[in-house]
Amino acid sequence: MAHSEVLIVGAGPTGLVLALWLARLGVKVRIIDRTAEAGTTSRALAVQARTLELYRQLDLTDAIIARGHKVPAVNLWVKGKPAARLLFENIGAGLTPYPFLHIFPQDEHERLLIARLEALGVTVERQTEFVRFNARDDGVTAHLRGPSGDEEACEARYIAGCDGARSVVRNTIASGFPGGTYRQVFYVADVEASGRPIDGELHADLDEADFLAVFPLAGQGRARLIGTVRDERADRADQLAFEDVRDRAIDNLKIEIRKVNWFSTYHVHHRVTDHFRHGRAFLLGDAAHIHSPAGGQGMNTGIGDAINLAWKLAAVLAGRAPDALLDSYEAERIGFARRLVATTDRVFSLVSAEGRVADIVRTRIAPLVIPLAVQFEAARDFLFRTVSQITLNYRGQALSAGATGHVHGGDRLPWVSVDGKDNHAPLAAMRWQVHVYGTARPELVAWCDEHDVPLHVFAWRLEHGRADLARDVLYLLRPDTYVALAEPEGTPEAIERYCSVRGIQLGAALHR
């Protein structure tokens, strides 16, 4: 009988990132997928700034930036004519090291993750299907069906369901999946083309009858088209070919299609499962939440799930935290998933609504109002912070404590770069650490040294204050880079109280 500490079901980006994080921390993982090979088509494109920040811990960020495409601008079209151009090249300047919209298709993303995982000695087991599992006090026995059709038993301490919208793990634990399905049908096509919109920028045609977005891909003349399928064609979506949808919107943008590499249609859903944790089983990514593609949030949210859960599993498995720490995974992630579904639902409804009023809003009002709004720094910051997920926080949760000014326990640590020194650089280490901006108390220095907790002291600069960091304050950072504790007095006793209440041991890295 095979043994692992964590069995991961599903090898999309969510499952692969979970496996990478755990493997890097010395956790014995097994990752299976029912498909014969990694995906060669995908809808997910955007890698948001927050994901790029977190990927520094896996040494993935530079490779993704090098292989992907930065979007310099977003163009809005109405009735075949350019209506507005929004500069996006550095829309988040001063907020993050990655102040741009970055395109890196999911299929290429998966191949990179698989290669990195294999370098750590972990291989995705293909054509291996999860059948069911039985829970015990100390672990689970999962039943798997391999390529031969024979069943085998696998012992694990925990199981992670990253197996998509039709999750067998979710069905096994009988967690509801409330929500619904939008009636609109969408198509997606990977094409090689020419024309004005094939210029490396993002173009959206806000037509009265059809919506079409043209996403640039790395490489000359490559683009991803995502559009609506309306009228009677939507009733036979499964039988449609690209020739059935290339007419009105594409003609409006004067795109000349040379080659269609792949094409598919799909319905958009909006659902969040009732529970992200059930005993020793966890749900992540599309198995836990699905929503409209508005804002490019889906894949990034699943990756966020994986990173949130990974360090907690590693700590519990290493005996450095109680099992109760794992309850914070659901508490922290389910609220965000619900808010995300509500937000993307509103945006999707605007884009896809039908009727005279909707046409006027989409084709006349939006192209005028949106460019005016983003001229204001506050509006640009709000837009970027929301879409990039850098505003996501865990305030008010069990692992979040203290506040200093605008920075609370549970917040993402504000990013500051002074004279080329990036305060996020130390966060690449997958471990608890302390930051002080100004002067650290001598007793804090001694305590961190004695307890093997890295202490990073940054000489106070006005830039720190402008980023809402406070002088001489103690910031305790979690292994996933969020602020656990913001303590104005800067004393080590505050860290000890924090850890004592939660049963957490800091000290050495999570590696065993």
Side-chain angles (χ1 to χ4, degrees):
M1 183 180 294
H3 293 265
S4 64
E5 290 179 298
V6 180
L7 172 65
I8 301 171
V9 182
T14 299
L16 291 168
V17 170
L18 179 62
L20 265 173
W21 237 99
L22 291 172
R24 285 280 296 271
L25 295 176
V27 174
K28 185 178 180 182
V29 300
R30 184 176 182 185
I31 180 168
I32 65 170
D33 196 281
R34 63 186 301 173
T35 63
E37 59 183 8
T40 57
T41 64
S42 65
R43 293 191 294 272
L45 292 169
V47 183
Q48 302 293 356
R50 186 58 180 144
T51 301
L52 292 172
E53 290 178 354
L54 294 167
Y55 267 2
R56 294 171 83 169
Q57 296 187 309
L58 296 171
D59 193 28
L60 284 168
T61 306
D62 290 345
I64 286 176
I65 291 175
R67 300 183 191 189
H69 179 79
K70 296 179 186 178
V71 178
V74 174
N75 299 270
L76 303 180
W77 292 61
V78 175
K79 298 181 179 179
K81 295 181 180 180
R85 184 171 184 265
L86 314 176
L87 293 175
F88 263 64
E89 197 160 16
N90 287 294
I91 189 172
L95 301 175
T96 172
Y98 315 105
F100 44 80
L101 174 61
H102 195 68
I103 299 295
F104 188 57
Q106 181 181 328
D107 50 341
E108 298 176 42
H109 198 151
E110 288 183 16
R111 289 196 292 271
L112 175 61
L113 295 172
I114 289 168
R116 294 297 179 88
L117 192 57
E118 289 177 344
L120 294 176
V122 179
T123 301
V124 177
E125 298 178 43
R126 296 283 175 189
Q127 295 179 285
T128 302
E129 183 179 358
F130 169 79
V131 180
R132 65 188 183 281
F133 77 94
N134 305 102
R136 308 183 309 276
D137 289 342
D138 61 346
V140 301
T141 301
H143 297 269
L144 313 177
R145 184 176 295 115
S148 67
D150 296 332
E151 280 196 17
E152 65 159 304
C154 170
E155 296 286 347
R157 294 281 300 279
Y158 297 97
I159 185 169
C162 307
D163 49 341
R166 296 182 175 86
S167 171
V168 179
V169 177
R170 187 186 64 244
N171 292 337
T172 301
I173 64 176
S175 181
F177 205 30
T181 302
Y182 298 104
R183 63 184 181 80
Q184 291 88 350
V185 175
F186 274 67
Y187 71 85
V188 57
D190 191 316
V191 303
E192 296 174 23
S194 59
R196 182 170 175 179
I198 312 299
D199 59 357
E201 299 184 357
L202 194 158
H203 295 259
D205 182 32
L206 305 176
D207 194 270
E208 292 180 357
D210 294 298
F211 168 80
L212 172 68
V214 182
F215 290 87
L217 302 178
Q220 185 68 31
R222 292 187 60 218
R224 181 73 49 83
L225 309 182
I226 299 178
T228 51
V229 179
R230 297 188 187 271
D231 58 51
E232 71 282 353
R233 294 172 300 174
D235 298 328
R236 52 185 181 90
D238 293 342
Q239 290 81 44
L240 293 179
F242 182 71
E243 295 301 321
D244 297 311
V245 299
R246 65 180 300 159
D247 46 14
R248 182 169 179 176
I250 293 178
D251 289 342
N252 280 357
L253 297 183
K254 305 298 187 291
I255 300 174
E256 182 179 339
I257 307 296
R258 295 194 300 269
K259 181 181 179 183
V260 179
N261 294 317
W262 60 267
F263 169 83
S264 68
T265 59
Y266 63 98
H267 284 275
V268 173
H269 308 269
H270 49 106
R271 301 177 184 275
V272 180
T273 190
D274 291 331
H275 299 288
F276 282 34
R277 182 189 188 188
H278 181 82
R280 292 184 171 270
F282 300 87
L283 300 174
L284 302 83
D286 286 355
H289 47 81
I290 51 176
H291 31 78
S292 92
Q297 302 294 297
M299 179 179 67
N300 293 272
T301 303
I303 290 168
D305 293 344
I307 293 172
N308 182 287
L309 178 61
W311 73 268
K312 297 170 183 177
L313 281 171
V316 172
L317 288 166
R320 306 188 70 85
D323 182 81
L325 175 67
L326 299 174
D327 291 335
S328 68
Y329 165 67
E330 174 176 313
E332 291 182 345
R333 297 303 293 180
I334 197 168
F336 173 64
R338 287 170 175 162
R339 291 192 302 274
L340 181 62
V341 166
T343 301
T344 57
D345 180 69
R346 289 193 292 269
V347 175
F348 181 82
S349 296
L350 171 64
V351 170
S352 61
E354 299 181 33
R356 182 61 180 164
V357 174
D359 288 343
I360 292 173
V361 170
R362 193 164 49 239
T363 64
R364 300 182 188 179
I365 297 176
L368 293 175
V369 172
I370 295 175
L372 287 175
V374 298
Q375 289 182 15
F376 295 95
E377 183 178 357
R380 290 197 305 273
D381 282 0
F382 175 78
L383 174 63
F384 181 80
R385 287 177 185 273
T386 302
V387 174
S388 68
Q389 298 194 355
I390 65 173
T391 194
L392 188 160
N393 66 78
Y394 304 129
R395 290 185 182 187
Q397 298 294 336
L399 298 183
S400 305
T404 59
H406 294 290
V407 178
H408 293 236
D411 286 356
R412 161 191 174 267
L413 181 73
W415 175 77
V416 183
S417 181
V418 180
D419 298 330
K421 190 172 184 180
D422 177 355
N423 74 320
H424 275 204
L427 301 181
M430 297 176 171
R431 59 185 304 178
W432 293 88
Q433 57 187 268
V434 172
H435 283 206
V436 174
Y437 298 85
T439 304
R441 289 175 173 266
E443 58 267 35
L444 176 62
V445 175
W447 187 93
C448 288
D449 182 64
E450 178 184 352
H451 292 84
D452 192 25
V453 176
L455 171 63
H456 300 279
V457 180
F458 300 82
W460 179 257
R461 297 286 292 270
L462 291 177
E463 290 88 343
H464 296 134
R466 294 191 191 107
D468 294 328
L469 293 164
R471 190 168 188 168
D472 302 339
V473 163
L474 180 162
Y475 295 102
L476 175 65
L477 279 302
R478 303 173 5 168
D480 61 354
T481 79
Y482 284 88
V483 177
L485 169 68
E487 170 53 45
E489 297 301 318
T491 62
E493 289 79 12
I495 302 178
E496 292 183 339
R497 288 194 300 271
Y498 176 93
C499 294
S500 176
V501 168
R502 296 160 181 82
I504 295 172
Q505 301 175 40
L506 306 186
L510 296 176
H511 298 76
R512 290 169 296 164

